[in-house]
Amino acid sequence: MSGSPAQATRDESSIALTRRARRMYRMLHEHYPYAHCELDFESPLQLLVATVLSAQTTDVMVNKVTPQLFARYPDAAALAGADREEMEALLKPTGFFRAKTNSVMKLGADLVERFDGEVPPRMKDLVTLPGVGRKTANVVLGNAFGIPGITVDTHFGRLVRRFGWTAEDDPVKVETAVGALIPRKEWTMLSHVLIFHGRRTCHAKKPACGACPVARLCPSYGIGETDPVKADKLLKFELAPGATNPYAASALAANEVALS
């Protein structure tokens, strides 16, 4: 597919865009069948706190910190009544630990005061909690409660604009535009799949176009490395532990189609 993402959006009919978006999603889902929330959690509260802590750090780092945090503070009341210095010491590896400690303690207090210590399964309630916006709320709703939601993080926003699914920059407008293209029941998995692809292949600075399973449908093909062998070396956090890139064997053929 040729042309810029913005041009592709302008030139396509709404039906053609919807068909292309759904086809790209299906192909990416086949490529990342195990895509999932990469934050470890055992309850809605744990996921909510972990998602708040994930700002400006990696899920890997959060997963290193939360076992000790949740063992020490197992419920909202414990979080609210935590010793500030002790919690700051636990959260320090995640960065911005003073602000995060403040958010987590206030979050615990709000949950106790307003929701009997339980995480509410509603967007309108979640976004009123300290440190919680629509992105965090959709993570919790989709993964802890099974309520479909689109998580517009930096990876998701970058990819849907590169794909020409939308030209919007505002996360809420992106959520609305993409939600109109993909069936609601798929929204949570769509978020996982695109975030996986953004972290592993379609990087911000050096996208591995030659190792991309949707290259021939992407109007941004060519902004990154197109040689399959070189592109394969750019892949990060590749798939499951020990797995190899399932697309590598056919990458060259796919790229020839994309360029034809």
Side-chain angles (χ1 to χ4, degrees):
M1 188 170 185
S2 60
S4 69
Q7 185 67 43
T9 303
R10 288 194 297 269
D11 291 348
E12 281 181 300
S13 68
S14 60
I15 294 177
L17 174 57
T18 299
R19 287 175 175 170
R20 182 170 66 85
R22 293 184 179 187
R23 187 176 182 189
M24 292 177 79
Y25 166 58
R26 287 195 300 269
M27 293 170 71
L28 287 169
H29 194 182
E30 290 174 0
H31 194 70
Y32 304 108
Y34 44 77
H36 62 282
C37 177
E38 295 187 277
L39 290 168
D40 296 336
F41 68 97
E42 296 180 353
S43 68
L45 177 63
Q46 289 189 2
L47 179 57
L48 179 59
V49 172
T51 307
V52 169
L53 296 179
S54 68
Q56 305 298 316
T57 190
T58 65
D59 290 354
V60 172
M61 179 56 69
V62 173
N63 290 339
K64 289 181 179 179
V65 168
T66 50
Q68 189 175 357
L69 177 72
F70 296 141
R72 181 69 181 86
Y73 309 109
D75 53 36
L79 292 170
D83 178 272
R84 182 175 296 275
E85 291 186 1
E86 184 179 76
M87 183 176 284
E88 286 182 353
L90 287 174
L91 300 185
K92 191 172 184 178
T94 69
F96 302 96
F97 61 93
R98 292 189 179 89
K100 290 181 180 180
T101 295
N102 196 46
S103 291
V104 170
M105 292 180 67
K106 286 184 176 180
L107 179 60
D110 239 27
L111 288 173
V112 170
E113 181 179 344
R114 299 170 53 209
F115 301 105
D116 296 323
E118 300 296 323
V119 176
R122 296 170 295 276
M123 173 67 75
K124 66 178 182 179
D125 293 328
L126 285 169
V127 295
T128 67
L129 295 168
V132 180
R134 286 189 66 86
K135 180 181 77 171
T136 295
N138 275 323
V139 170
V140 174
L141 290 173
N143 296 283
F145 294 108
I147 300 172
I150 295 176
T151 303
V152 184
D153 71 350
T154 55
H155 299 292
F156 190 98
R158 178 176 74 252
L159 265 62
V160 296
R161 285 186 288 272
R162 284 180 176 175
F163 291 169
W165 292 5
T166 180
E168 298 289 353
D169 289 309
D170 178 77
V172 176
K173 291 182 179 179
V174 169
E175 188 180 330
T176 300
V178 175
L181 299 174
I182 306 297
R184 185 174 185 270
K185 65 180 181 178
E186 300 291 343
W187 287 356
T188 300
M189 181 54 72
L190 170 72
S191 302
H192 293 325
V193 166
L194 263 63
I195 290 170
F196 260 55
H197 191 55
R199 287 175 172 171
R200 289 154 177 76
T201 305
C202 195
H203 311 133
K205 294 183 179 180
K206 292 184 177 181
C209 292
C212 177
V214 294
R216 63 191 179 89
L217 296 175
C218 181
S220 296
Y221 174 79
I223 66 170
E225 179 58 63
T226 59
D227 179 84
V229 176
K230 293 180 180 178
D232 195 59
K233 294 179 180 179
L234 295 175
L235 298 179
K236 298 178 180 178
F237 308 107
E238 178 49 35
L239 312 177
T244 57
N245 175 18
Y247 182 67
S250 58
L252 181 58
N255 286 332
E256 288 176 349
V257 172
L259 295 172
S260 64

